[in-house]
Every structure is written in C-alpha cells, then in structure tokens.
Amino acid sequence: MKEFPHASFPPETIKLMKDALEAAVETLPVPVSSGHLQSIAETILRTAKEGERDPATLQRMALLELQIRPRD
C-alpha cells in the first residue's frame, strides 16, 4: 500500500471503509485471494481519500475496479 504512507482518517470514516471492505469481500467466491483483498482495500482507501463516504459507493467502486484489473 505504497500510495497511502501518510493517509489519515477519522474513526467514523475508518468504520465506513471497513464496512465497505467486508461487504465487498462477502460478494466474492471463497477463497478470496490476497491480491483481490489488497486491490479492494486500495480502491476503498483511494476513493475515501478523494472524499467519498458512502459505504455502498466505496464497495461498488472497489468491485468495479477489481473486474477491470488484470488477472493475478
């Protein structure tokens, strides 16, 4: 997660991001690869850093980016 060395979020935003991450992972077939998990987390961090705070939007953006990302 090199893109976020000094990222800082208030506790309520961290909870929103955690909820979005968990919801996104729940939609994927088991087992979820560490690469997919990292991609989802990075997208949520980047999107939240840009100001998005809706967990459903954070989840949707992460899953969309995961679909267009090259396969592991």
Side-chain angles (χ1 to χ4, degrees):
M1 306 235 180
K2 299 173 191 170
E3 296 178 43
F4 311 100
H6 303 291
S8 177
F9 298 97
E12 55 275 0
T13 302
I14 293 171
K15 182 182 180 335
L16 295 173
M17 292 188 301
K18 179 180 175 284
D19 292 346
L21 176 71
E22 289 173 353
V25 169
E26 285 178 10
T27 68
L28 299 176
V30 176
V32 177
S33 75
S34 61
H36 287 156
L37 186 59
Q38 182 170 342
S39 174
I40 290 168
E42 287 177 355
T43 301
I44 289 171
L45 281 166
R46 186 174 45 259
T47 306
K49 189 176 175 188
E50 293 169 357
E52 182 58 58
R53 295 297 183 263
D54 177 43
T57 301
L58 293 170
Q59 174 191 355
R60 189 169 41 255
M61 294 299 294
L63 292 172
L64 285 171
E65 192 166 307
L66 185 62
Q67 285 184 320
I68 61 173
R69 148 181 180 235
R71 299 276 178 210
D72 294 331

